[in-house]
Amino acid sequence: MSEHHIHPVPDSFKAHAAIDAERYRAMYQRSVEDPDGFWAEQADAFLTWDKKWDKVCESDLRKGEVAWFKGGKLNVSVNCVDRHLEQRADQVAIIWEGDDPSEDQMITYRELHTEVSRLGNLLRERGVKKGDRVCIYMPMIPEATYAMLACARLGAIHSVVFGGFSPDALKDRILDADCQVLITADEGVRGGKHIPLKNNADKAMNACPGVHTCLVVKRTGADVGWKEGRDIWYEQEVERQSDHCEPESMDAEDPLFILYTSGSTGKPKGVLHTSGGYLLQSAMTHKYVFDHQEGDVYWCTADVGWVTGHSYIVYGPLANGATTLMFEGVPTYPDASRCWQVVDKHMVNTFYTAPTAIRALMGAGDKWVTQTSRQSLKLLGTVGEPINPEAWEWYYRVVGESRCPIMDTWWQTETGAHMLTPLPGATDLKPGSATLPFFGVQPVLLDNEGHEIEGAGSGNLAIKAPWPSQIRTVYGDHQRCIDTYYSAYPGYYFTGDGARRDEDGYYWITGRVDDVLNVSGHRMGTAEVESALVLHPKVSEAAVVGYPHDIKGQGIYAYVTLMGGEEPSDALRKELIDLCVQEIGAIAKPDIIQWAPGLPKTRSGKIMRRILRKIAANELDNLGDTSTLADPAVVDDLIDNRANQ
Ligand code: ATP
Ligand code: MG
């Protein structure tokens, strides 16, 4: 792939950021040479403990066993709320921006404390105690955050299920975690449409006799079904509760939450995170990766139903006493300018989103961006998929006016917090690269026999040593945890992703290992071919998979989405093939290009290549787990218009 620009650390960050290049190197070295000493210091600096730990880290990766700060006691909600009251009771903790641009709300730390305490008391009244599981199926409203923190206050384990999921998907997750309480709303509102959350929840609960209590927030006032005894109105019951709720002092290793993965590669896994290590790494990365400064307004566009929402809307920012923006709507409603209007309205300094949103906004055209000011922006972030260098440059140049560094953060539900990421005052940026490891993270590239690859090269991305926010188990199925992450390469945590390391030690995620292309014996990441395709000005998105090919073993099948207003043609097809040859080489020439008005994505916006692989191979009767697919109609359309081979 041709070399891309290097964007050096901007002078403004060089001078003011908490970590510069020299400090990064020194701290990183210390973090891997003396991890116990390093993490003990950080745990002291970032968190407030009721009692100090007996041991910093205990682990046996061969058995998938990891523990941090054992014997230490703390309460996560106290760390995110109570301890800030002395300094910042009247500071805004949450800026809520409604789906309708005329609706918003500011919640101070004092108000947050009241809300969390009252809800904690209500849950206690309904019998919720330490270790119980509570399912949260909510729109993006402040009550979703109150619910998470109220669970943390009692030591109950929350399982947030994205509000866009169907009754069936909700039912599976309630049963898997054996939740006894469900917190939901009458309806959600997104992009001007109402989503019948309570009615969905009713359908799910019909098959979940274990749920004895369902709290319902009134969001729209819609008529909803009601089961006396089980269902209660949130506002009505919360109002009469006391503002004091005694927090449960938890062991650092007591579970904080269960969260199901996106389902890009198969059936979702119920990832379990614990209290101390998770909170430490999410707080620390929020501080250093976004160079969070006093007074900053910070916006992560994720939904709280995903790990990004957990770590970077709720736990990380609130542990740091930040002002976090929570957005109910979608980036394209009422129009494609919405994100930048919200940035101007609330003077947002940090903006963190996903490549799927960036590509969609890029496809809509520059004018939606340039009609806004965006002068408050200092820093941009991306997460969720490899970002194509073309989309990176657009984000940098058009959105950030070449002023804001972009933090491309690679991590997973299972890693709990950032793992590979630049730091804005320390790291020169290369578009498309998640750059270097965060403190304490020891990435390695393994060949298929499990040998570590030295220097520049590509291979299977694994992590060699434990980190605090690491997955502790797959809920109720530790064997699945071992099988998925620890058995392919004994002694390592295996990520499932492939990566390349360049001469400067920078990491480039090449895609899922399961998706790697093997054309005439040459191995290639899907991300590399896709990035070549989206270089074309008429292409907004591309997904590449392999399919069985008589001569080459695997051929390259490319699904290509054009920019709004562009038409497919044979000439364009040829231009795209030439572009791949020019950027990567003849070996990367797509054999088949199918024009795709839409691509199958998970509800968190990631391309599901495993389904595209089935369509390419014409295995249409066995598409695998499609429960997390955002829009099944996209798949039908791709099947109907499948290219002839
Ligand atoms: P499942 O595990 O159920 O298949 P998933 O892997 O999509 O779903 P997540 O935990 O939400 O579930 O996503 C983590 C994955 O997202 C990573 O393994 C990686 O493939 C991809 N990813 C996340 N951030 C980045 C990034 N900055 N660059 C490249 N890929 C990324
Ligand atoms: Mg995964």
Side-chain angles (χ1 to χ4, degrees):
M1 189 125 220
S2 58
E3 258 320 302
H4 295 281
H5 289 88
I6 293 183
H7 296 267
V9 174
D11 288 339
S12 52
F13 280 90
K14 236 182 212 151
H16 301 293
I19 312 267
D20 62 13
E22 208 175 309
R23 183 124 192 262
Y24 166 71
R25 275 191 296 271
M27 272 175 80
Y28 181 76
Q29 201 170 352
R30 162 97 203 284
S31 74
V32 298
E33 284 171 1
D34 173 21
D36 282 11
F38 175 83
W39 285 111
E41 268 170 29
Q42 300 299 326
D44 254 334
F46 276 88
L47 304 182
T48 302
W49 298 83
D50 301 337
K51 174 182 167 280
K52 286 288 158 64
W53 49 90
D54 304 322
K55 189 148 193 233
V56 177
C57 178
E58 217 172 74
S59 84
D60 182 351
L61 292 188
R62 284 171 193 271
K63 297 188 191 146
E65 285 170 6
V66 178
W68 285 84
F69 309 112
K70 241 184 167 167
K73 296 267 186 191
L74 81 173
N75 181 280
V76 169
S77 85
V78 168
N79 273 274
C80 291
V81 188
D82 304 43
R83 65 167 173 158
H84 302 313
L85 292 182
E86 206 176 305
Q87 300 268 318
R88 48 181 95 244
D90 296 317
Q91 182 200 307
V92 173
I94 301 173
I95 298 175
W96 178 73
E97 168 76 12
D99 185 60
D100 178 331
S102 69
E103 280 189 83
D104 58 25
Q105 195 191 340
M106 306 286 155
I107 297 120
T108 64
Y109 272 96
R110 190 196 314 282
E111 290 164 334
L112 181 61
H113 180 258
T114 304
E115 297 288 350
V116 171
S117 302
R118 288 183 178 175
L119 179 55
N121 284 329
L122 172 58
L123 291 171
R124 222 170 233 160
E125 193 178 288
R126 301 294 298 194
V128 176
K129 54 180 192 323
K130 182 176 167 178
D132 289 354
R133 274 84 52 219
V134 173
C135 181
I136 300 174
Y137 179 62
M138 293 276 259
M140 285 289 285
I141 55 178
E143 287 81 357
T145 303
Y146 307 158
M148 292 164 76
L149 292 171
C151 288
R153 199 161 189 89
L154 306 190
I157 306 168
H158 60 68
S159 164
V160 183
V161 176
F162 172 53
F165 272 130
S166 66
D168 229 36
L170 174 61
K171 177 202 76 186
D172 289 346
R173 287 162 179 74
I174 292 176
L175 291 176
D176 188 73
D178 188 22
C179 298
Q180 293 104 33
V181 173
L182 175 65
I183 308 179
T184 188
D186 51 2
E187 290 186 318
V189 187
R190 255 166 82 89
K193 295 192 193 81
H194 287 207
I195 300 137
L197 292 180
K198 174 62 164 70
N199 288 344
N200 287 348
D202 284 342
K203 287 184 196 146
M205 284 187 292
N206 281 338
C208 304
V211 177
H212 60 67
T213 295
C214 178
L215 296 186
V216 188
V217 177
K218 201 171 264 180
R219 169 65 187 97
T220 64
D223 268 343
V224 293
W226 209 253
K227 187 167 161 188
E228 282 307 330
R230 181 193 69 189
D231 298 347
I232 52 182
W233 287 112
Y234 181 107
E235 287 83 353
Q236 215 172 304
E237 298 293 316
V238 150
E239 229 167 60
R240 57 176 182 79
Q241 301 292 334
S242 136
D243 292 359
H244 177 82
C245 175
E246 196 54 35
E248 194 77 33
S249 191
M250 304 294 287
D251 193 280
E253 275 302 321
D254 280 332
L256 179 62
F257 65 83
I258 298 164
L259 182 64
Y260 293 84
T261 56
S262 303
S264 305
T265 57
K267 185 173 173 275
K269 301 164 281 268
V271 172
L272 184 101
H273 282 289
T274 56
S275 305
Y278 169 80
L279 190 65
L280 172 58
Q281 198 169 333
S282 52
M284 196 176 154
T285 46
H286 170 261
K287 165 74 189 153
Y288 291 142
V289 173
F290 301 121
D291 191 46
H292 181 74
Q293 308 273 351
E294 197 63 41
D296 278 354
V297 175
Y298 160 89
W299 181 16
C300 164
T301 69
D303 191 282
V304 289
W306 313 120
V307 74
T308 306
H310 281 57
S311 304
Y312 299 108
I313 295 178
V314 178
Y315 289 114
L318 294 178
N320 290 333
T323 298
T324 179
L325 193 149
M326 186 175 193
F327 176 42
E328 187 182 35
V330 296
T332 46
Y333 178 83
D335 59 43
S337 191
R338 183 67 189 276
C339 289
W340 324 121
Q341 286 167 9
V342 173
V343 165
D344 287 348
K345 177 177 174 188
H346 298 293
M347 300 298 278
V348 171
N349 304 113
T350 304
F351 179 78
Y352 187 31
T353 194
T356 183
I358 299 167
R359 290 188 301 251
L361 295 173
M362 180 172 85
D366 293 4
K367 70 165 190 203
W368 301 107
V369 188
T370 54
Q371 73 191 32
T372 61
S373 156
R374 286 158 290 109
Q375 275 312 301
S376 57
L377 284 177
K378 292 195 291 197
L379 185 136
L380 302 171
T382 167
V383 58
E385 287 182 291
I387 180 164
N388 321 108
E390 184 72 3
W392 194 105
E393 292 285 359
W394 180 84
Y395 194 30
Y396 183 77
R397 200 171 31 78
V398 181
V399 174
E401 297 179 328
S402 307
R403 179 182 76 237
C404 309
I406 298 177
M407 300 301 108
D408 178 355
T409 59
W410 175 87
W411 59 297
Q412 310 178 297
T413 309
E414 298 88 340
T415 70
H418 300 152
M419 298 291 278
L420 298 175
T421 176
L423 300 181
T427 320
D428 295 341
L429 305 174
K430 300 186 189 186
S433 169
T435 75
L436 300 169
F438 188 70
F439 302 124
V441 174
Q442 298 189 47
V444 291
L445 299 180
L446 302 176
D447 66 19
N448 288 338
E449 281 69 55
H451 302 119
E452 287 186 22
I453 296 165
E454 301 293 329
S458 18
N460 304 305
L461 179 64
I463 315 288
K464 199 177 169 152
W467 63 97
S469 59
Q470 188 167 354
I471 177 175
R472 296 303 193 265
T473 193
V474 168
Y475 189 76
D477 194 352
H478 193 65
Q479 192 56 46
R480 186 164 178 216
C481 180
I482 296 173
D483 294 346
T484 313
Y485 310 107
Y486 300 101
S487 61
Y489 305 103
Y492 297 90
Y493 168 88
F494 175 48
T495 66
D497 288 344
R500 179 164 70 80
R501 189 169 48 219
D502 69 17
E503 303 69 32
D504 299 322
Y506 277 45
Y507 288 84
W508 302 73
I509 304 296
T510 49
R512 316 285 177 144
V513 168
D514 294 349
D515 292 337
V516 165
L517 306 166
N518 192 337
V519 182
S520 308
H522 297 268
R523 294 168 68 80
M524 249 176 298
T526 48
E528 298 173 281
V529 186
E530 289 160 6
S531 289
L533 290 166
V534 297
L535 279 177
H536 197 287
K538 291 184 178 166
V539 173
S540 81
E541 201 158 36
V544 163
V545 296
Y547 73 100
H549 189 285
D550 290 345
I551 300 153
K552 301 197 255 186
Q554 256 187 348
I556 297 180
Y557 195 120
Y559 298 82
V560 172
T561 306
L562 299 179
M563 295 277 187
E566 298 295 344
E567 288 295 326
S569 69
D570 284 342
L572 180 55
R573 191 186 301 270
K574 178 152 187 324
E575 285 173 33
L576 292 179
I577 292 172
D578 290 346
L579 195 54
C580 292
V581 174
Q582 177 197 319
E583 285 292 310
I584 307 172
I587 199 73
K589 189 174 146 181
D591 298 274
I592 297 170
I593 291 179
Q594 175 170 345
W595 307 112
L599 294 170
K601 291 186 181 173
T602 63
R603 286 178 193 257
S604 54
K606 297 167 194 240
I607 299 169
M608 279 169 131
R609 289 181 193 73
R610 63 184 164 90
I611 289 184
L612 294 173
R613 213 161 39 226
K614 296 276 187 189
I615 298 175
N618 207 8
E619 291 169 16
L620 305 177
D621 42 2
N622 173 27
L623 292 179
D625 186 310
T626 52
S627 65
T628 63
L629 194 61
D631 179 6
V634 168
V635 174
D636 298 336
D637 182 83
L638 289 177
I639 291 173
D640 289 346
N641 296 300
R642 204 174 147 272
N644 290 321
Q645 295 168 20

